[in-house]
Amino acid sequence: METRRLGRLGHQSSVLIYGAASLGSVDQDRADASIQEALDAGLNHFDVAADYGDAELRLGPRMPEIRDRIFLATKTGRRTFEEAWSEINRSLERLQTDHVDLIQMHAVCDLENLDLVTGKGGSLEAAIRAKDEGMVRAIGITGHTAQAPSVHTEGLRRFDFDSVLTPLNYKLSTDPQYADDYAALVEAVQASDAALMTIKMIARRNWAEGEQKSYDTWYRPFDEQRYITAATAWLLNGHPEITGLATAGETRLLQQMIVAERERADLTPEAAASILDEVQDYASPFVDMPI
């Protein structure tokens, strides 16, 4: 699998980042099988969060074996120093490690939350303390709304975050405002040599009212190999500024994403876009979010 430099952190990170939200509600056997599937395919960057149900608990038992083989990132969604400090310590216990490579300020999707995180007594102060004490090696910011890129650009003005995790897929890129906000974020990230990672690459649309949810994702994902491969090719072949993309929060989709990463070399971004244009119900997932 291709690897890319994770910004100034220097880690050669697999372009597929294991999205451990997929482990939030599975048993240990299914978790172990999915983790091994990822390792066998060459994924060396695992991304989890305290808010992902039992995901940290599912990863923890594997840490004694794999900790030195992976870049390990987690997130805190708390907004005060005390709450975030407690959660970071809890995450280390659950993950069965004495440090993570990256702690991320989770779900910073609007300026109100950015103010809470970066203000006096906010969770960023807890992350800085954790870094000073060797519990974390780097600090990042994440978000998952249509406003996330612009909020993250402002976040980089306020603090020199080591990484940004923000949404991007072909459909989002066709919205002029979103495209402008994303371009501004890229400029800010490159100026600071931060790592830029993305989410929601295979999001197809929101679940329709009354539709049976056949996957654990809050949005309806692509599950046809043709479209997953096209979405992957469009993103990775056309956006060299991206250091990696997070796999979907569903273990059953991991293999298709691994196949897509291998097959994408044959598709130009333009050809991939043409394939995705075939999809009649392709839409932004940020229409009716469950948060």
Side-chain angles (χ1 to χ4, degrees), residues 169-186:
N169 61 35
Y170 172 59
K171 179 55 68 173
L172 290 171
S173 78
T174 64
D175 178 271
Q177 184 61 59
Y178 199 93
D180 287 347
D181 290 345
Y182 177 76
L185 176 60
V186 170

Side-chain angles (χ1 to χ4, degrees), residues 264-279:
R264 66 187 169 90
D266 296 331
L267 275 179
T268 66
E270 294 76 18
S274 294
I275 292 171
L276 294 169
D277 281 334
E278 300 171 0
V279 184

